[in-house]
């Protein structure tokens, strides 16, 4: 007699054991439950998420360095690498500017802060200084100088991605200039280090459910659900604009590459859920680099476009900043003119580029914007202290998808995308193996149905 089908509990346990997505989803639900029922216990679970983020961040710089150097030398064309960089910057500027304008249009149409009639003198402006640590966003010259390393070791120690990218470009250019015949052992060593780092990432990813549980329980335990009623309109506008932006981004991806953003979401569902749960896109950068390469994007395009996008292509942050600026103005009864709103776009186009890695960067950008207008009290930025953390999920998801779409688009633009392979991967004809992207399983082989 044929054996009976596994029972439902066994199927559930098997899914939980084999599927990272299922594990993270359960951890997310459990974190919400614990944070709601036992807020103090939820808040105490924060180190689980913070520890995971620290482990992943420790690997980002060496991974980016290896991928970029290997990509440049493998492509064998430094000019092509330069073209990829220029095209990426063009894409980033167009995308973030469009996101800013989209946020302003929505903020004017819905007016999320209208009718609040807030007295800015009663707000605690010192709370913003505490949130930002008294820091400030770098000026354009400071940003450019900080992108250039003054110490090779310091670039890795400080986890400064732009400095690591500069070093990687210099090393890649030197290897191309010398020729692999003069330094034959270097490239295999870099490739082996890259594989070691990817393997370590695979080990750390097994802790992802614990990280999501800790981060989610802390968020719900600390902020609760009451903030949703107070700032419901602002939250709704930001998330709706982000969804509209992603739909337009999906249309752009389809037009440029013929690929489906929905299928890409299905392909990267574990990474997306992890990024949402930990409120950090850095936690999934190594896996996203691996999956983009697996999906047919050339190494040099992935290695340059994705890390650079973390500093230059903050689409979700741009949407939030433009909507939040109008929200603050409306809440304190200031009616911004068209010229003032255009000033908002120009200021945010500059300040948003220096946000990555700066504590409380959203508040610093908003404060700089308010100061440049001269009509919004600086203390009014404190209105957003209670809702900023709730916006992280929107910012993280939109920033991450915007950067991944940029990788596909720039790769296609430069002829660095294997479109046929990308379609097979996104259609699940070729499956991804987490331990190393050199391994792959083709459906139908070895009798797999």
């Amino acid at each position: 007699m044929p054996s009976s089908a596994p029972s439902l509990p066994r199927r559930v346990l098997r899914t939980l054991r084999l599927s990272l997505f299922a594990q993270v989803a359960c951890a997310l639900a459990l974190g919400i439950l614990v944070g709601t029922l036992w807020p103090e216990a939820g808040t105490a679970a924060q180190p689980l998420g913070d520890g995971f983020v620290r482990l992943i961040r420790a690997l980002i710089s060496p991974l980016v360095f290896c991928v970029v150097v290997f990509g440049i030398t493998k492509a064998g064309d430094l000019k092509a690498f330069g073209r990829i960089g220029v095209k990426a910057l063009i894409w980033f500027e167009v995308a973030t500017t469009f996101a800013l304008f989209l946020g302003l249009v929505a903020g004017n149409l819905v007016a999320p802060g209208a009718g609040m009639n807030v007295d800015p003198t009663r707000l605690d402006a010192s709370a913003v200084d505490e949130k930002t640590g008294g820091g400030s966003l770098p000026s354009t010259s400071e940003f450019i100088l900080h992108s250039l390393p003054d110490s090779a070791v310091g670039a890795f120690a400080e986890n400064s991605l732009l400095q690591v990218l500069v070093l990687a470009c210099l090393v890649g250019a030197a290897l191309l200039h010398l020729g692999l015949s003069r330094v034959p052992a270097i490239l295999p060593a870099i490739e082996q280090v890259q594989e070691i780092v990817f393997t370590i990432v695979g080990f750390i990813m097994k802790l992802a459910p614990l990280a999501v549980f800790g981060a989610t329980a802390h968020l719900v335990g600390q902020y609760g659900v009451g903030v949703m009623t107070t700032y419901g309109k602002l939250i709704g506008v930001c998330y709706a604009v982000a969804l509209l932006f992603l739909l337009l981004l999906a249309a752009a991806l389809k037009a440029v590459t013929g690929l489906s953003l929905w299928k890409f979401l299905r392909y990267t569902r574990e990474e997306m859920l992890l990024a949402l749960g930990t409120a950090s896109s850095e936690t999934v950068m190594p896996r996203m680099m691996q999956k983009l390469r697996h999906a047919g994007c050339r190494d040099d395009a992935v290695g340059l476009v994705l890390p650079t996008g973390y500093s230059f292509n903050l689409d979700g942050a741009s949407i939030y900043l433009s909507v939040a600026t109008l929200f603050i103005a409306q809440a304190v009864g200031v009616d911004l003119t068209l010229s003032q709103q255009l000033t908002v776009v120009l200021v945010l186009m500059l300040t948003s580029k220096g946000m990555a890695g700066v504590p409380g960067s959203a508040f610093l950008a908003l404060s700089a914007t308010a100061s440049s207008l001269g009509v919004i009290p600086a203390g009014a930025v404190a209105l957003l202290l209670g809702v900023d953390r709730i916006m992280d999920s929107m910012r993280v998801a939109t920033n991450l998808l915007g950067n991944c779409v940029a990788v596909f688009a720039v790769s296609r633009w430069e002829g660095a995308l294997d479109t046929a392979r990308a379609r097979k991967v996104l259609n699940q004809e070729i499956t991804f193996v987490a331990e190393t992207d050199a391994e792959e399983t083709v459906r139908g082989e070895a009798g797999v149905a």
Side-chain angles (χ1 to χ4, degrees):
M1 293 180 62
S3 59
S4 59
S7 62
L8 180 60
R10 286 189 176 183
R11 292 201 299 271
V12 171
L13 289 174
R14 177 180 172 81
T15 300
L16 284 174
R17 182 170 61 86
L18 298 178
S19 171
L20 179 63
F21 178 79
Q23 294 169 11
V24 171
C26 287
L28 187 66
L30 188 60
I32 294 172
L33 181 65
V34 171
T36 303
L37 298 179
W38 304 284
E40 292 184 2
T43 303
Q46 183 181 9
L48 293 175
D50 291 347
F52 180 82
V53 173
R54 289 171 68 92
L55 285 173
I56 291 292
R57 281 179 175 170
L59 298 172
I60 288 177
S61 291
L63 180 59
V64 168
F65 179 83
C66 291
V67 170
V68 172
V69 172
F70 185 73
I72 292 175
T73 51
K74 187 177 178 182
D77 186 358
L78 196 60
K79 291 182 179 179
F81 193 73
R83 289 196 304 269
I84 290 173
V86 171
K87 291 174 181 178
L89 291 176
I90 293 172
W91 179 277
F92 294 160
E93 195 57 50
V94 171
T96 53
T97 304
F98 182 76
L100 286 170
F101 275 110
L102 198 61
L104 281 183
V105 171
N108 280 290
L109 291 176
V110 182
M116 293 186 69
N117 301 318
V118 174
D119 182 1
T121 61
R122 302 184 64 179
L123 295 172
D124 184 11
S126 63
V128 177
D129 293 331
E130 183 180 348
K131 178 78 173 180
T132 60
S136 62
L137 290 175
S139 64
T140 303
S141 58
E142 289 173 340
F143 179 69
I144 294 173
L145 284 175
H146 185 67
S147 301
L148 303 176
D150 57 1
S151 166
V153 176
F156 288 90
E158 296 173 7
N159 216 15
S160 177
L161 285 185
L162 292 180
Q163 293 185 12
V164 171
L165 277 172
V166 171
L167 286 173
C169 292
L170 292 174
V171 172
L175 287 176
L176 287 180
H177 178 73
L178 291 172
L180 295 181
S181 59
R182 297 175 64 180
V183 281
I186 294 297
L187 193 59
I190 291 175
E191 186 177 12
Q192 289 166 14
V193 170
Q194 176 180 282
E195 294 302 326
I196 290 171
V197 174
F198 275 132
T199 302
I200 296 173
V201 169
F203 294 156
I204 297 174
M205 287 296 291
K206 296 182 185 301
L207 302 175
L210 285 176
V212 170
F213 167 76
T216 306
H218 167 70
L219 172 63
V220 178
Q222 183 173 10
Y223 295 96
V225 294
V227 70
M228 298 294 289
T229 58
T230 306
Y231 295 95
K233 198 172 183 181
L234 173 62
I235 296 170
V237 171
C238 286
Y239 275 80
V241 174
L243 179 60
L244 176 60
F245 180 81
L246 291 177
L247 290 175
L248 295 173
L249 205 61
L253 178 66
K254 191 72 174 178
V256 174
T257 67
L259 302 176
S260 165
L261 184 60
W262 170 251
K263 290 181 179 179
F264 179 76
L265 272 172
R266 182 181 61 186
Y267 171 56
T268 58
R269 58 188 182 275
E270 293 95 348
E271 290 74 23
M272 290 303 304
L273 196 58
L274 175 59
L276 290 173
T278 58
S280 171
S281 55
E282 286 186 340
T283 57
V284 297
M285 182 194 284
R287 285 267 294 211
M288 279 299 192
M289 293 179 74
Q290 202 174 6
K291 283 199 165 183
L292 286 166
R293 294 167 65 209
H294 179 76
C297 296
R298 208 167 66 195
D299 291 18
D300 51 346
V302 174
L304 180 60
V305 179
L306 189 64
T308 307
Y310 273 60
S311 292
F312 288 93
N313 192 39
L314 305 176
D315 300 327
S318 298
I319 291 171
Y320 169 66
L321 291 174
S322 56
V323 175
T325 301
L326 287 185
F327 170 81
I328 294 170
Q330 293 160 1
V332 298
V334 174
D335 187 19
L336 296 180
T337 64
L338 178 61
S339 62
Q340 288 172 329
Q341 293 192 32
L342 291 177
T343 301
V344 169
V345 172
L346 292 174
V347 172
L348 291 177
M349 283 173 61
L350 295 174
T351 56
S352 63
K353 299 300 184 291
M355 286 176 57
V358 179
S361 55
F363 291 96
L364 292 173
L366 289 170
S367 297
T369 306
S371 299
S372 67
L373 292 174
V375 293
I376 302 176
V381 177
L383 271 173
L384 297 169
L385 285 169
V387 73
D388 184 70
R389 182 64 178 78
I390 305 296
M391 295 298 186
D392 278 345
S393 296
M394 179 277 291
R395 290 190 296 237
V396 165
T398 310
N399 289 345
L400 185 58
L401 284 174
N403 287 326
C404 290
V405 169
V407 173
F408 278 117
V410 174
S411 297
R412 179 69 178 84
W413 194 0
E414 181 56 29
L417 174 65
D418 186 342
T419 308
R421 178 180 176 86
R423 288 199 180 95
K424 288 182 179 180
V425 170
L426 298 187
N427 289 332
Q428 298 183 326
E429 296 174 27
I430 302 176
T431 58
F432 175 79
V433 180
E435 287 73 18
T436 166
D437 75 337
E439 301 178 31
E440 63 185 33
T441 303
V442 181
R443 287 187 180 275
E445 288 187 356
V448 177

